[in-house]
DNA sequence: CTATTTGTACAGTTTTTACAGAACAAACTA
DNA sequence: TAGTTTGTTCTGTAAAAACTGTACAAATAG
């Protein structure tokens, strides 16, 4: 039996489950922003309200899905640092629990996914930039070619500048400097 | 004919296309972070290197895809403010060009997509919170129930605090205050 | 060492999504 | 107004992704 809400009336349990379900479904849906599928999002929501770590078997039973699917879903969540594997003594089964610091989860998403994209795009941009610069140096007299090259090189340089900015933004998330600009606790404006 | 690289040798044209292709494919792939499909990402990359607005027919020819697909792809990009519809006089066809300010594109993505998610999640959280508070007030004597409620309410309050923070972060992107923390132009550290 | 148990890789199936072609409605043209 | 042109909706199909059950390898227990 999965249900951990024991010792209260069925009506009360239902009320709590209804309240949880609303949240789980909303969060689960919107986790597509993290590139996470709905069912994995729902799994995350389920674990969010759990007060102890869960095993794959428990998840499968609660989600009415195969353990295989739980395994792949959990891997996605672990890769994003949204869920942590915990070591429970006396159990052979792997146990998982959600990361409670959502600010950290948000930051990690950028550090993991967006940083990777920035690096790959910068790599491509710089390689192409170097090729085009080389081509330009080889044929300084060909005006039409130079026009094309100038245009592309300008675009590439702007793109590089943007990715460097994005890289610095991600730095502030990794270092925590972002909280200087936007504190975790809201500081109200001073009014005269 | 789509190719706008005329007046240069085939070899030079090929060099430029190769350099572009590397960038287009890298950017196209990584646009999945925006929830954008690969082919739409490639369409965006194509338009990025175009120096004039494109029509749906031109896109279809260049991408070797149907105009229908171009239409849906473009709508996705327009909805995200990544591409703008421009009004070219003397032409009946709709024309589109990429938004060149990528900082703005990035900010718009948060303002459009993440803000929506924040709002929906806050709505669900607050509604459930209110239900649970009500339930708690109705049965102050039931200790087991109160334990469950305390736990859920605590989690919900933490989630709300997080989303309020995220909302303020999005505010800084919308207002431009984010550039105070991370300037568009890199300001190197001062060293002694 | 042998028996289980556990998690994952793999292969097949189902479901979802992307895409194309036809049909249509709106807008422009003559 | 009638005749085109253009973009999108709708429907069917192809491709991709999610999901399941089996098989297997690694780890633990006896």
């Amino acid at each position: 039996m999965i249900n951990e809400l024991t010792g209260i009336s069925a009506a009360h349990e239902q009320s709590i489950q209804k309240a949880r379900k609303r949240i789980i479904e909303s969060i689960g849906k919107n986790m597509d922003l993290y590139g996470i599928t709905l069912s994995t999002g729902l799994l995350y929501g389920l674990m969010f309200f759990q007060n102890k770590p869960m095993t794959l078997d428990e998840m499968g039973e609660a989600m009415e899905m195969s353990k295989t699917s739980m395994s792949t879903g959990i891997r996605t969540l672990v890769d994003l640092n949204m869920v942590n594997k915990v070591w429970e003594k006396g159990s052979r089964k792997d146990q998982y629990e959600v990361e409670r610091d959502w600010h950290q989860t948000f930051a990690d998403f950028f550090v993991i996914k967006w940083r990777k994209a920035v690096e790959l795009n910068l790599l491509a941009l710089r390689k192409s930039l170097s090729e085009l610069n080389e081509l330009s140096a080889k044929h300084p007299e060909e005006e039409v070619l130079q026009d094309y090259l100038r245009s592309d090189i300008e675009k590439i340089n702007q793109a590089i500048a943007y990715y460097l900015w994005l890289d610095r933004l991600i730095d502030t998330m990794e270092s925590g400097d972002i909280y200087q600009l936007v504190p975790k606790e809201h500081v109200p404006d001073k009014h005269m």
Side-chain angles (χ1 to χ4, degrees), chain A residues 43-75:
Chain A
L43 170 62
Y44 179 85
L46 168 76
M47 296 178 69
F48 173 70
F49 279 110
Q50 220 69 19
N51 283 315
K52 37 180 144 181
M54 292 186 86
T55 67
L56 291 179
D57 288 312
E58 288 167 343
M59 299 173 204
E61 192 179 338
M63 299 280 298
E64 300 182 24
M65 286 176 69
S66 70
K67 192 160 76 161
T68 308
S69 297
M70 297 301 100
S71 178
T72 60
I74 277 292
R75 180 166 46 202

Side-chain angles (χ1 to χ4, degrees), chain A residues 152-166:
Chain A
D152 280 17
I153 287 169
E154 166 70 7
K155 286 173 186 170
I156 292 172
N157 277 324
Q158 285 180 2
I160 288 175
Y162 161 74
Y163 283 117
L164 291 177
W165 173 83
L166 186 51

